[in-house]
């Protein structure tokens, strides 16, 4: 049987950041693009997954539309023909696309192995597809199978345990420190990649978070995106007097935060220095109530978690393979279900035609008896061919049996009749 599920996409593995940024989709853009896939390319079932590390379009179509879709992405985003992103897009055939989506959703393909955020991002992408009526039977079943598999991975493995990046480790340490306060305040210095990752990891935490960056517009844009505050970098000393947690990820040749900056702060403080060279002087620990973490200490925590996750990859892959096998059984049966339906209808038509010959020759009681008896006969006749067809699906050779049933019962004629 022909397999129609496919995908095309880019990721951090094969595409530079500036290209990934140029083809990223937010929610409104995703929904508009889904509509264009349907109106321009005739795709009725699709999922657009767009994060900072990837943009991937999964779709259900008889033909390979990878070039058309990647070109449509460029047009949608108004990318100049002199610098198209289409050349970076990688196509995936049916089986490749199914496994890839499993691995992406579970964090096997993440920049940080076992990233737990990606599963929620996949759920949002699925919801947006459903909102636009672009999630049909195949995607519904596939996504629910993936979410169930993720629950198994959480329950049966250590794959999502711990914090496996410096940014997530910093956020985790900060969260634990902040539980002691009813209204904690956090300052994040520097909006480079690490600083932004920390800010994203703290989204949803019950705290007042302020972003500072030498280029204020960058801090302001991120603050708007995440619902935080932004302050100019020259207000750093004022901010330091009031916050409970300071996370620094700025590029500087020498420390910019010293113990003297913290003397006016009356409550305990946690300082996390993610900068190399260090941006927080060691003398801050001489101030009462101050706790300092440096990048090496956090890297050690992250490395331990990463090794734990790596050791679980084999088990996770085995669970994925098992889930894919179960899903394949369902999807293959789904492909032959129209044939089964037409086969049942063909036999039902024969049954009714034969019964019609005796309408004037039997009374009502006899007619009911004949109807019941012939229905039972049809059920018994149907049972074995349907079981054989489903077994053929699992072997991957259902085509020949579908052809045989079509020839024996003229099912193509039945399809024409049904469409009239």
């Amino acid at each position: 049987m022909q397999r129609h599920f496919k995908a095309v996409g880019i990721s951090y593995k094969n595409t530079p950041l500036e290209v990934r940024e140029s083809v990223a989709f937010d929610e409104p853009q995703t929904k508009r693009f889904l509509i264009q896939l349907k109106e321009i390319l005739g795709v009725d079932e699709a999922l657009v997954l767009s994060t900072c590390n990837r943009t991937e379009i999964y779709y259900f179509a008889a033909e390979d539309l990878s070039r058309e879709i990647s070109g449509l992405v460029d047009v949608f985003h108004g990318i100049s023909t002199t610098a198209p992103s289409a050349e970076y897009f990688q196509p995936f055939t049916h089986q490749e696309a199914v496994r890839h989506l499993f691995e992406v959703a579970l964090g096997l393909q993440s920049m940080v192995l076992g990233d737990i955020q990606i599963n929620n991002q996949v759920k949002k992408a699925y919801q947006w597809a459903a909102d636009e009526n672009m999630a049909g039977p195949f995607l519904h079943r596939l996504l629910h199978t993936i979410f169930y598999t993720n629950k198994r991975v959480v329950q049966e493995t250590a794959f999502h345990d711990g914090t496996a990046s410096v940014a997530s480790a910093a956020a985790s340490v900060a969260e634990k420190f902040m539980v002691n306060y009813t209204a904690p305040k956090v300052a994040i210095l520097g909006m480079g990649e690490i600083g932004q990752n920390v800010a994203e990891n703290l989204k949803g935490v019950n705290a007042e978070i302020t972003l500072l960056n030498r280029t204020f517009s960058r801090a302001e844009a991120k603050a708007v995106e995440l619902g935080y505050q932004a302050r100019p970098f020259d207000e750093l000393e004022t901010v330091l007097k009031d916050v409970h947690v300071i996370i620094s990820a700025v590029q500087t040749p020498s420390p910019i935060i010293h113990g003297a900056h913290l003397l006016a702060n009356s409550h305990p403080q946690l300082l996390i220095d993610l900068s190399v060279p260090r941006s927080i002087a060691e003398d801050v620990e001489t101030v009462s109530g101050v706790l300092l973490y440096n990048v090496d200490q956090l890297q050690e925590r992250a490395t331990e978690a990463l090794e734990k996750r790596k050791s679980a990859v084999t088990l996770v892959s085995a669970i994925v393979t098992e889930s894919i096998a179960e899903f394949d059984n369902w999807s293959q049966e789904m492909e032959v279900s129209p044939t089964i339906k037409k086969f049942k209808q063909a036999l039902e038509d024969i049954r009714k035609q034969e019964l019609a010959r005796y309408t004037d020759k039997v009374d009502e009681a006899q007619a009911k008896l004949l109807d019941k008896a012939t229905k039972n006969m049809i059920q018994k006749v149907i049972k074995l061919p349907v079981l054989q067809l489903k077994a053929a699906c699992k072997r991957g050779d259902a085509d020949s049996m579908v052809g045989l049933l079509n020839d024996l019962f003229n099912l193509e004629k039945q399809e024409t009749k049904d469409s009239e």
Side-chain angles (χ1 to χ4, degrees):
M1 302 298 291
Q2 188 161 11
R3 316 306 296 279
H4 292 167
F5 187 62
K6 302 174 183 68
V8 58
I10 60 174
S11 75
Y12 69 94
K13 293 183 178 181
N14 65 352
T15 308
L17 176 60
E18 57 269 20
V19 176
R20 300 201 309 272
E21 288 176 334
S22 68
V23 296
F25 291 86
D26 58 20
E27 180 179 352
Q29 290 173 325
T30 295
K31 292 182 175 180
R32 290 202 306 273
F33 188 74
L34 285 168
I35 293 170
Q36 289 191 10
L37 285 175
K38 185 170 187 175
E39 293 179 346
I40 298 174
L41 299 178
V43 174
D44 291 325
E45 198 167 350
L47 177 86
V48 177
L49 177 62
S50 187
T51 72
C52 58
N53 288 328
R54 66 184 68 251
T55 290
E56 296 171 342
I57 296 93
Y58 298 84
Y59 63 99
F60 202 76
E63 300 177 0
D64 178 5
L65 300 176
S66 55
R67 292 186 66 179
E68 290 84 350
I69 291 175
S70 57
L72 187 60
V73 170
D74 278 347
V75 172
F76 182 89
H77 286 288
I79 298 175
S80 169
T81 54
T82 59
S85 69
E87 63 181 279
Y88 294 99
F89 276 83
Q90 174 187 356
F92 297 86
T93 59
H94 177 97
Q95 206 61 35
E96 294 170 341
V98 169
R99 177 168 281 277
H100 186 71
L101 185 52
F102 265 91
E103 292 185 349
V104 167
L106 268 62
L108 284 165
Q109 294 286 341
S110 296
M111 185 178 288
V112 178
L113 187 67
D115 179 15
I116 60 174
Q117 292 184 29
I118 185 64
N119 191 256
N120 289 329
Q121 291 167 327
V122 171
K123 286 182 179 179
K124 286 182 180 179
Y126 171 46
Q127 182 60 58
W128 298 342
D131 289 345
E132 299 305 314
N133 296 316
M134 289 293 282
F138 188 92
L139 271 179
H140 283 308
R141 183 68 176 241
L142 176 59
L143 270 297
H144 283 286
T145 302
I146 288 173
F147 300 146
Y148 173 74
T149 303
N150 187 63
K151 288 182 181 179
R152 281 194 60 191
V153 168
V154 171
Q155 293 168 355
E156 299 175 25
T157 77
F159 187 61
H160 293 306
D161 292 356
T163 50
S165 73
V166 169
S168 58
S172 177
V173 170
E175 283 188 66
K176 290 176 181 177
F177 181 82
M178 288 187 285
V179 297
N180 301 309
Y181 302 93
T182 55
K185 296 181 180 180
V186 181
I188 303 174
L189 319 181
M191 285 292 102
E193 183 176 352
I194 293 177
Q196 289 194 45
N197 286 343
V198 173
E200 290 163 1
N201 273 278
L202 285 174
K203 185 171 175 59
V205 172
N206 184 26
E208 179 186 299
I209 299 178
T210 301
L211 310 181
L212 296 92
N213 193 65
R214 289 192 177 93
T215 303
F216 178 68
S217 59
R218 193 165 187 177
E220 189 175 37
K222 198 67 180 178
V224 169
E225 175 190 338
L226 298 175
Y228 299 161
Q229 299 179 11
R231 299 276 291 273
F233 203 80
D234 57 14
E235 295 182 15
L236 175 60
E237 290 191 27
T238 303
V239 172
L240 293 178
K241 294 176 182 178
D242 191 39
V243 296
H244 301 85
V245 177
I246 302 161
I247 303 173
S248 179
V250 297
Q251 292 295 315
T252 179
S254 58
I256 59 173
I257 299 176
H258 298 269
H261 293 125
L262 309 178
L263 294 176
N265 198 316
S266 59
H267 48 66
Q269 286 181 291
L270 169 67
L271 278 71
I272 299 176
D273 191 354
L274 302 180
S275 307
V276 179
R278 284 177 286 182
S279 59
I280 302 177
E282 291 183 350
D283 71 348
V284 298
E285 291 192 286
T286 63
V287 179
S288 177
V290 171
L291 178 64
L292 174 65
Y293 275 85
N294 62 40
V295 69
D296 286 347
Q297 291 168 317
L298 292 172
Q299 185 62 61
E300 185 178 345
R301 293 168 68 107
T303 300
E304 289 175 1
L306 185 59
E307 291 304 315
K308 204 173 187 180
R309 293 182 181 186
K310 285 180 179 178
S311 67
V313 166
T314 301
L315 180 55
V316 173
S317 296
I319 293 173
V320 168
T321 299
E322 182 181 325
S323 293
I324 289 176
E326 293 174 359
F327 176 75
D328 279 346
N329 288 339
W330 172 85
S331 62
Q332 288 164 4
E333 289 184 13
M334 185 188 76
E335 289 180 1
V336 299
S337 63
T339 298
I340 293 173
K341 181 180 178 181
K342 286 185 285 185
F343 177 47
K344 288 180 177 179
Q345 188 60 52
L347 293 181
E348 177 64 11
D349 288 345
I350 293 172
R351 186 185 76 86
K352 287 181 177 179
Q353 289 170 9
E354 289 302 306
L355 283 178
R357 294 170 56 189
Y358 298 94
T359 302
D360 300 330
K361 300 177 182 179
V362 296
D363 59 29
E364 185 178 349
Q366 291 173 324
K368 288 182 178 179
L369 186 62
L370 280 173
D371 185 67
K372 182 177 180 181
T374 53
K375 279 183 177 178
N376 289 340
M377 288 176 62
I378 292 298
Q379 287 299 319
K380 290 181 179 180
V381 170
I382 287 173
K383 184 176 180 181
L384 184 57
V386 168
L387 289 175
Q388 293 284 8
L389 187 54
K390 290 182 177 181
C393 284
K394 294 180 180 180
R395 297 193 303 270
D397 58 359
D399 281 347
S400 59
M401 191 167 179
V402 167
L404 180 61
L405 286 174
N406 278 330
D407 292 340
L408 287 174
F409 295 93
N410 200 10
L411 299 185
E412 297 304 325
K413 181 180 180 180
Q414 179 67 42
E415 184 176 22
T416 303
K417 179 182 175 183
D418 291 342
S419 65
E420 291 177 351

